[in-house]
Amino acid sequence: MKFAIPTLIISFLLDGVVSNFVSLNTNFFAPLFSLVAITIVYPYFNKNSNDYLKTVGVIGILYDFVYTDTMILNLAIFLVLGLLVKYFHSIFNNNIINNIIWLIIIIIIYRLITYLILVLSGYLTFDINVLFKSIYSSLILNVIYCLIVYFLLDYLNYKFKIKKRGW
Amino acid sequence: MRRKKLEKKYIVLIILILVTLFLALIFTIIKSDHDLNPIEQSIKDSVSFVGKIIYKPINFAKEKIAENKEKDDLYEKYQEQQEKLANVDNLETKQRDLESQLKEMKELLNLNQTLVEYEYLNATVINRNVGYWYNTLTIDKGKTSGVEEDMVVMVADGLIGKVTKVANFNSTVKLLTNNDTSTSLSVKINIGDKYVFGILKGYDQDSKRLIVEGVSGNDKIPLGSEVVTTGLSDNSPSGLLIGTVSKIKTDNFDLARILEVESKVNFDDINYVTVLKKKDEK
């Protein structure tokens, strides 16, 4: 947990900072660093999934308050995604390839749920191309960030002799 | 066995009810323009403050790079400015004349306020559209600087949106390019010596143009006509440039005109904005 929470906090703040450097309707670089951190840090909570889910919930509600003004939408979605990450870790090995695959699945689910809720509530009109664009525009940057954070955490944990464990 | 089946049915039913309730709650939250409560405000303020601190040195470097790039075409810009400068004297005289006429008319009609007077408040963008779907910006000015909900926000090239949420030290600006089907803005189109009115309904992502519907009257609207705000809402001054008419089409029934409006604003890269508020007569 030594590096897990700082990673989540830094990723959360970077979501806001990096948004200033990418085009508003970017085709390839939409940041979702909080989700990347949620996907990667689970093993660093040392089998304590309650702590993990609580932290994910806090990040979700902060995301609501600070970035989207939606109150509980992201809290609920982040918790669902947190449970999904926990499930992935319970049946698959924790390695970089799996992490990238999980991240892609998480991004797809996140975009799909938010889009469907916004369409059902009448906020957006349904357009499948917009949904596809939202997904593929979020992949490149976040996969790169995933690689960086994964190896950085691995290095730091190796250096400080911290064990990471899957569930 | 039957009992187990029944229990399963109940569980499915309860899950369905919970999901429906959850969706209903979410819809209400998204649809309602609720004011930020003190907890939301303080969280938003403190996180934005930290974000601002992190962003400052990066922004400084970004500005320096942009400055260096600008220096490359300095001579062209200088020539452009020289041409503009030639007209400034004329415009200043004209403005002075119009201002004095306006003052006289206000005195004559005993008016306290006109739709064209407003105060400026400059702000820096601290994050852009992190939620992806909402097309919003967060700016570093809030209640303490006098920002209120529904105030219009501009950049040098024209109107970009309006303030939708206000915390103490930052505010959320909803851009004109947002796809929220419930937002609209009343506009007028300048055709020679008169105006026709319409409603700005949304933004076409493919053509990257704003859509104006409900156009009044049957007057011919030339392409290139300026579309400006009407000033008919509480916090929006009149005459703010939105864009120019670039295409005119009709709806599916061939009854009403739909205008495509091209904005000069580069919505993809907005760093500094100006919040406008109607001037109160002292």
Side-chain angles (χ1 to χ4, degrees):
Chain A
M1 247 167 69
K2 196 175 175 184
F3 297 113
I5 290 175
T7 307
L8 282 164
I9 294 170
I10 291 167
S11 303
F12 174 77
L13 290 171
L14 276 179
D15 264 335
V17 174
V18 172
S19 72
N20 287 305
F21 297 94
V22 293
S23 144
L24 200 76
N25 293 302
T26 177
N27 283 328
F28 300 106
F29 302 113
L32 276 174
F33 297 156
S34 304
L35 284 186
V36 176
I38 285 169
T39 314
I40 290 178
V41 298
Y42 180 74
Y44 299 97
F45 276 83
N46 298 329
K47 288 190 173 181
N48 197 341
S49 56
N50 270 346
D51 279 354
Y52 170 73
L53 288 175
K54 276 180 205 161
T55 317
V56 167
V58 171
I59 295 289
I61 206 155
L62 283 176
Y63 208 87
D64 273 323
F65 285 165
V66 179
Y67 295 137
T68 61
D69 296 323
T70 43
M71 234 158 146
I72 57 160
L73 178 66
N74 286 291
L75 165 69
I77 299 172
F78 274 43
L79 280 175
V80 171
L81 297 176
L83 286 170
L84 197 64
V85 170
K86 189 183 156 211
Y87 173 72
F88 286 148
H89 277 276
S90 68
I91 49 172
F92 299 109
N93 287 331
N94 179 35
N95 57 45
I96 184 65
I97 304 291
N98 279 349
N99 268 286
I100 288 172
I101 294 167
W102 300 338
L103 175 67
I104 292 170
I105 295 169
I106 295 254
I107 287 173
I108 292 170
I109 293 172
Y110 177 73
R111 289 293 192 219
L112 191 69
I113 296 175
T114 45
Y115 188 65
L116 287 180
I117 287 175
L118 292 171
V119 167
L120 285 171
S121 64
Y123 187 91
L124 300 174
T125 46
F126 185 76
D127 182 350
I128 195 81
N129 293 326
V130 174
L131 178 62
F132 279 135
K133 191 195 161 198
S134 76
I135 292 169
Y136 73 68
S137 66
S138 313
L139 293 180
I140 298 176
L141 184 66
N142 294 305
V143 167
I144 294 169
Y145 184 70
C146 177
L147 289 168
I148 295 168
V149 175
Y150 183 87
F151 288 118
L152 190 69
L153 278 178
D154 239 21
Y155 170 75
L156 287 173
N157 284 288
Y158 171 74
K159 201 175 174 191
F160 292 95
K161 296 189 173 64
I162 297 167
K163 257 192 172 178
K164 66 169 177 179
R165 298 182 205 129
W167 187 245
Chain B
M1 188 78 168
R2 213 177 148 191
R3 208 174 161 182
K4 261 193 176 176
K5 258 189 178 177
L6 264 174
E7 272 176 10
K8 239 187 180 179
K9 267 186 184 175
Y10 280 128
I11 290 169
V12 172
L13 193 69
I14 290 166
I15 291 172
L16 274 175
I17 291 169
L18 286 175
V19 168
T20 319
L21 281 175
F22 173 71
L23 284 176
L25 187 65
I26 297 276
F27 296 165
T28 328
I29 288 162
I30 291 167
K31 292 290 258 181
S32 67
D33 283 333
H34 73 283
D35 287 335
L36 299 176
N37 61 46
I39 301 168
E40 282 178 282
Q41 281 185 29
S42 43
I43 291 174
K44 206 170 173 181
D45 282 335
S46 27
V47 175
S48 301
F49 179 72
V50 178
K52 214 171 139 184
I53 292 171
I54 300 171
Y55 179 54
K56 265 228 159 109
I58 307 171
N59 190 38
F60 178 76
K62 192 182 161 189
E63 273 177 2
K64 285 284 157 206
I65 294 166
E67 223 171 74
N68 278 336
K69 267 186 191 169
E70 260 181 33
K71 276 178 190 166
D72 292 343
D73 49 15
L74 209 57
Y75 183 67
E76 279 170 31
K77 277 190 179 164
Y78 168 75
Q79 276 183 323
E80 240 174 65
Q81 294 305 319
Q82 283 294 99
E83 279 167 28
K84 281 184 186 169
L85 197 65
N87 291 321
V88 167
D89 286 342
N90 283 337
L91 286 171
E92 269 182 357
T93 322
K94 206 173 170 184
Q95 193 191 349
R96 266 199 298 274
D97 185 40
L98 285 171
E99 269 172 7
S100 71
Q101 277 184 40
L102 185 67
K103 204 178 165 190
E104 275 172 32
M105 282 179 181
K106 272 171 72 182
E107 278 167 10
L108 200 69
L109 294 168
N110 201 16
L111 275 175
N112 288 330
Q113 197 176 348
T114 60
L115 297 174
V116 290
E117 289 175 300
Y118 42 81
E119 287 169 358
Y120 300 91
L121 182 66
N122 293 323
T124 308
V125 176
I126 47 178
N127 64 57
R128 297 199 290 218
N129 199 25
V130 182
Y132 191 86
W133 305 112
Y134 309 94
N135 268 280
T136 54
L137 304 173
T138 307
I139 57 171
D140 68 343
K141 293 281 172 3
K143 267 183 200 160
T144 47
S145 310
V147 178
E148 287 168 21
E149 271 182 35
D150 289 334
M151 281 180 174
V152 290
V153 183
M154 292 194 74
V155 292
D157 295 324
L159 188 74
I160 60 160
K162 65 175 183 178
V163 175
T164 52
K165 296 268 157 61
V166 189
N168 289 323
F169 301 102
N170 62 69
S171 318
T172 306
V173 177
K174 190 179 257 182
L175 296 176
L176 294 177
T177 55
N178 83 83
N179 292 308
D180 182 357
T181 46
S182 62
T183 49
S184 51
L185 179 75
S186 99
V187 295
K188 55 187 181 183
I189 302 118
N190 185 357
I191 46 168
D193 55 350
K194 64 177 183 177
Y195 288 105
V196 288
F197 291 83
I199 297 164
L200 185 72
K201 286 298 269 186
Y203 183 72
D204 186 352
Q205 293 285 353
D206 298 327
S207 62
K208 296 208 178 288
R209 281 170 187 165
L210 299 158
I211 305 296
V212 173
E213 292 178 7
V215 179
S216 65
N218 292 316
D219 299 293
K220 197 176 176 241
I221 301 169
L223 293 181
S225 303
E226 282 183 346
V227 180
V228 295
T229 55
T230 57
L232 296 176
S233 74
D234 284 347
N235 278 312
S236 150
S238 171
L240 302 176
L241 181 68
I242 293 170
T244 52
V245 177
S246 59
K247 195 177 174 184
I248 302 166
K249 53 187 185 183
T250 52
D251 65 0
N252 292 339
F253 305 104
D254 250 1
L255 292 172
R257 286 179 291 181
I258 297 171
L259 310 181
E260 283 189 7
V261 176
E262 198 171 354
S263 172
K264 277 186 187 171
V265 178
N266 177 11
F267 284 96
D268 284 341
D269 191 23
I270 299 169
N271 295 307
Y272 302 99
V273 298
T274 306
V275 183
L276 304 183
K277 57 176 181 176
K278 277 184 184 170
K279 207 177 205 172
D280 294 324
E281 196 74 13
K282 275 149 196 159

